[in-house]
Amino acid sequence: MTTPLGEVLDGRRTAEMHKAARALLKEPLLLAQGPYADELRLVRQYAAVLREWFERNTGWSLRVDAEAARLARTPGSPADPTHPAREASRARAAFTRRRYVLLCLALAALERGEAQIALGRLAEQVVLDAADPHLSAAGVEFTMERRDERLDLAAVVRLLLRYGVLRRVAGEEEAYVTGTGDVLYDVQRRILAGLLAARRGPSTITSVDFETRLAELTAESALDSDELRFRAIRQTLTRRLLDDPVLYYDELSDEELAYLTRQRAFLTARITELTGLVPEVRAEGIAMVDPLDDLTDVRMPEQGTHGHITLLLAEHLAATGGEVSRGDLERRVRELAAEHGAFWSKSAKQPGAEAELVGHALERLTALGLVTHTAGGVTALPALARYAVGEPVMTQPGPPASRVSRTSRRKAPQP
């Protein structure tokens, strides 16, 4: 039997919509000249539907033209530190505070500059802007005379190259870092203008406190009716379901929890309709599970030494249940090294390496919503229970349907 043409076309349209929406969630800035050129074509094709969905359900605006698509995505939790900017290199090191400051100063200089700029000229402007008394009082100072400062600026520029804000015309950043040459760039002003995802311009915010400034940067307009308040709650919950690995009920306000309890099926169905993510509802919260396993920047488990150690520590934390200190985790890594070290890299077995290994594992577990940091160390969150290992169960031979695996089984959180 053949499938009716209408069903084939509907299935194809759904697959294309999923691909376009998922591309925007992974890369909120898609470029015609980048690796997501095919996805940009789909975004342009379904721009009207995508724009309406994101605006209604998340409050994110979507701008699309022939050169780029920009989803003005803001996180569900603005103060979440687990998704930093990273180097546009294989190492993908997280940006430091100094690099964030350089990024902001570089963007301000590019906004005021011409259509072309040399890296040396950009550095001069950054040094001038950093001399502002307010920045100096905050301990910000740049001279670009040291190699490490030039390396930081080069990392910022490479990130802007990846974003499409700059296009290299001539030269290489390494020549600037070593002091043997310069680099010339074209400035893509349309992409630069849409880079900031905020409802207000930063210059209009007068608060000094960082958390307050951050909240005001993304604040909604006055919510003076029940309809507007409910819309704001719906958008916040949808953003968190899309952004957070797990949405825990105890992190919500009473009003948010009441709304989610009433509208859970509707909210999760809308997300599934757009992205193909599947809701996993537990007693402690909700996770939107990705059957394709590509809509994430942090995976668990992961191959390699760090991935193996992270998984082993996750099992240890899940079995312990309560608060565990960093010292206890480092001792556990030393014990694991004796048992599993043959499979680890040489550097991971060196004396004193356990502190870095534990730090890397906790960074990953925190980003996945599996542990939380406390005054005395870390505590497992409910979703980590799926990494607990039960005792092996031995069964008598019998029909295949009644046999139980002889290997350890991972326990999922109880509903």
Side-chain angles (χ1 to χ4, degrees), residues 15 29 44 97 111 120 125 138 178 183-184 224 256 266 292 304 324 338 340 383 397 400:
L29 178 58
R44 293 182 62 195
R97 177 177 181 268
E111 179 66 28
Q125 190 59 56
T178 59
V183 196
L184 181 65
D224 52 4
E256 289 171 337
F266 169 77
L292 302 181
V324 180
H340 302 281

Side-chain angles (χ1 to χ4, degrees), residues 9 25-26 30 47 54 59 89 94 96 106 112 114 118 133 163 183 190-191 224 234 247 258 262 282 297 308 316 375:
L9 293 177
L25 292 172
K26 288 190 290 186
L30 302 177
F54 281 116
S89 66
T96 61
R112 300 191 305 268
E114 304 295 332
Y163 287 163
V183 196
R190 286 176 61 85
I191 296 176
D224 52 4
R234 182 181 71 247
L247 175 61
R262 296 193 306 270
R282 298 284 178 173
D297 56 347
H308 189 202
H316 175 67

Side-chain angles (χ1 to χ4, degrees), residues 106-118 121-122 125 165-166 184-190 192:
L107 290 172
L110 292 172
E111 179 66 28
R112 300 191 305 268
E114 304 295 332
Q116 280 193 333
I117 192 169
R121 178 72 183 96
L122 178 61
Q125 190 59 56
V165 174
L166 298 175
L184 181 65
Y185 306 100
D186 284 336
V187 181
Q188 307 303 306
R189 306 203 68 82
R190 286 176 61 85
L192 173 62

Side-chain angles (χ1 to χ4, degrees), residues 26 73 80-84 86 92 94 243-246 288 290 293-303 306-307 310-311 359-370 387:
K26 288 190 290 186
R73 178 178 174 178
D80 180 8
T82 61
H83 301 283
R86 295 187 178 274
R92 299 194 72 247
D243 266 352
D244 298 352
V246 184
M288 298 302 298
D290 181 12
D293 190 31
D294 73 342
L295 198 59
T296 182
D297 56 347
V298 179
R299 282 182 168 77
M300 175 76 177
E302 190 177 49
Q303 294 182 349
H306 284 297
T310 301
L311 182 60
H360 186 279
L362 292 181
E363 179 182 341
R364 184 170 296 271
L365 294 173
T366 303
L368 290 170
L370 299 176
Y387 294 99

Side-chain angles (χ1 to χ4, degrees), residues 249-331:
Y249 298 141
D250 61 7
E251 296 176 349
L252 304 177
S253 68
D254 292 342
E255 193 175 20
E256 289 171 337
L257 182 57
Y259 185 91
L260 181 59
T261 302
R262 296 193 306 270
Q263 300 293 332
R264 183 185 68 199
F266 169 77
L267 291 175
T268 55
R270 291 287 283 169
I271 293 174
T272 300
E273 176 187 45
L274 181 78
T275 65
L277 297 175
V278 179
E280 180 179 312
V281 181
R282 298 284 178 173
E284 302 87 2
I286 304 174
M288 298 302 298
V289 179
D290 181 12
L292 302 181
D293 190 31
D294 73 342
L295 198 59
T296 182
D297 56 347
V298 179
R299 282 182 168 77
M300 175 76 177
E302 190 177 49
Q303 294 182 349
T305 299
H306 284 297
H308 189 202
I309 293 172
T310 301
L311 182 60
L312 292 172
L313 288 181
E315 293 175 354
H316 175 67
L317 286 165
T320 303
E323 183 181 74
V324 180
S325 70
R326 288 286 294 259
D328 289 339
L329 291 176
E330 291 175 12
R331 284 190 290 274

Side-chain angles (χ1 to χ4, degrees), residues 24 33 51 88 98 146 156 199 212 265 294 299 325 350:
L24 285 169
Q33 303 298 322
R51 185 179 295 112
R98 185 165 68 176
R146 302 195 310 269
V156 166
R199 296 182 179 276
T212 304
D294 73 342
R299 282 182 168 77
S325 70
Q350 296 297 318

Side-chain angles (χ1 to χ4, degrees), residues 13 33 50-51 100 177 240 280 349:
R13 181 180 183 276
Q33 303 298 322
L50 291 168
R51 185 179 295 112
Y100 276 119
V177 173
R240 296 197 62 178
E280 180 179 312
K349 294 179 285 185

Side-chain angles (χ1 to χ4, degrees), residues 105-149:
L105 292 173
L107 290 172
L110 292 172
E111 179 66 28
R112 300 191 305 268
E114 304 295 332
Q116 280 193 333
I117 192 169
L119 182 49
R121 178 72 183 96
L122 178 61
E124 292 173 1
Q125 190 59 56
V126 165
V127 171
L128 289 174
D129 291 344
D132 181 278
H134 292 89
L135 293 177
S136 298
V140 175
E141 181 182 4
F142 296 105
T143 63
M144 295 303 159
E145 295 177 357
R146 302 195 310 269
R147 177 182 172 84
D148 62 327
E149 288 185 327

